Amino acid sequence: MGEKLARTTQQTFNLGLILAGAVMTGGVGYLLYSDVFSSDSKTRIFNRTADRVKSDSRAIELLGPSKQILALGQERLGGSRTFGKRQAIQ
């Protein structure tokens, strides 16, 4: 009886561990999709905006050829860069 209880406990723990891993993997996948691949993600919006600036004739007049225009984002502490915050423009 004791061995059966120990084996059941171990199998339940293993199943819980596998389910927790699956949930965490799904969470990472969701975050990756929503932050990088979604059409509404900050990355896609930033890239589309940079492309629009590079193709705009007024920006080319002011900043030079489009190949020389760099879109780097905002610098954070430690030197890494992030995209700006979303703001509604009317």
Side-chain angles (χ1 to χ4, degrees):
M1 181 81 172
E3 288 180 27
K4 185 175 181 181
L5 180 62
R7 186 173 52 238
T8 302
T9 303
Q10 183 66 41
Q11 288 176 344
T12 303
F13 175 78
N14 290 345
L15 179 64
L17 197 60
I18 290 170
L19 290 176
V23 167
M24 291 192 325
T25 301
V28 168
Y30 171 77
L31 289 175
L32 183 64
Y33 173 77
S34 66
D35 280 352
V36 178
F37 299 116
S38 171
S39 63
D40 195 31
S41 72
K42 291 179 183 181
T43 303
R44 297 286 290 270
I45 291 171
F46 183 85
N47 290 336
R48 277 196 309 258
T49 304
D51 290 341
R52 287 180 67 187
V53 168
K54 288 180 181 183
S55 65
D56 186 56
S57 61
R58 295 172 295 170
I60 292 172
E61 278 182 37
L62 293 172
L63 302 173
S66 62
K67 292 182 180 180
Q68 293 179 354
I69 299 173
L70 299 177
L72 301 175
Q74 296 176 325
E75 193 167 327
R76 291 190 297 188
L77 187 63
S80 62
R81 295 189 181 272
T82 185
F83 305 122
K85 296 178 182 174
R86 292 185 184 184
Q87 295 179 355
I89 299 174
Q90 297 181 11

